[in-house]
Amino acid sequence: MRFVIAAALTVFASSVFAETLGYGSRAGMEVTVVSKSDIGTTHAIITVKHTKANAVAYCRDYVGKVTPKCVRDELNVPLAASISANCETGKFSTLNGEGFTLSGRNPNYDPNEAVSQPEYLLLSLASGEAVGGSSADGYDVALEQFKALCPNRLK
């Protein structure tokens, strides 16, 4: 009997406290982490699933109302099933399908001008240009995904 109760509590705790990863800057824009492999290496991968619970959280926390349409629309947001990184080179992919290279600390970083001069330089693989530090540029979300893949690169 104790084993059954312990097993049930383990399943409950793992579902309630599942690790999530943000894919956008709005409240509730998260997916559930399914697996991680080779974190901090040249082949770091995190596999995710956009669950109904994630969609409900977005509808509740950002939209302010959970409706079947909101949940359905949120589950239809196109996202990658995994992200990956080469933690040595700084090259990585995001849940939105974008590619970046973290090229290190920004020598011009100014905490008072963090939007135009963010702490780290993220280069878009598509354009080769540095990404601004605003949420509209996706800087914080991309940086958090990189940190999840390569936690020892940014200190």
Side-chain angles (χ1 to χ4, degrees):
M1 182 66 170
R2 287 184 180 150
F3 174 76
V4 172
I5 292 171
L9 287 174
T10 301
V11 169
F12 174 74
S14 66
S15 65
V16 171
F17 301 108
E19 182 179 1
T20 60
L21 186 62
Y23 71 85
S25 60
R26 295 178 179 147
M29 288 183 131
E30 296 179 334
V31 292
T32 299
V33 173
V34 174
S35 67
K36 294 180 178 184
S37 63
D38 300 320
I39 298 301
T41 72
T42 58
H43 295 85
I45 298 173
I46 297 176
T47 303
V48 301
K49 183 175 182 184
H50 199 184
T51 67
K52 183 176 180 181
N54 300 136
V56 167
Y58 170 78
C59 294
R60 179 190 63 235
D61 299 343
Y62 181 72
V63 176
K65 186 174 183 182
V66 179
T67 64
K69 180 182 181 331
C70 181
V71 171
R72 186 174 52 253
D73 289 350
E74 180 59 14
L75 287 172
N76 286 324
V77 170
L79 297 170
S82 65
I83 57 175
S84 61
N86 178 330
C87 298
E88 285 183 21
T89 66
K91 186 176 178 180
F92 69 105
S93 65
T94 67
L95 291 167
N96 294 319
E98 297 174 292
F100 297 97
T101 299
L102 178 97
S103 64
R105 287 196 177 274
N106 182 352
N108 299 317
Y109 170 60
D110 180 347
N112 298 316
E113 296 294 329
V115 170
S116 61
Q117 296 298 333
E119 186 172 4
Y120 297 96
L121 291 174
L122 284 183
L123 304 178
S124 165
L125 293 180
S127 69
E129 306 250 339
V131 176
S134 76
S135 60
D137 294 321
Y139 178 87
D140 292 338
V141 173
L143 195 61
E144 284 304 311
Q145 290 178 27
F146 181 80
K147 285 179 185 178
L149 291 160
C150 306
N152 295 324
R153 270 298 295 272
L154 304 176
K155 301 265 177 176

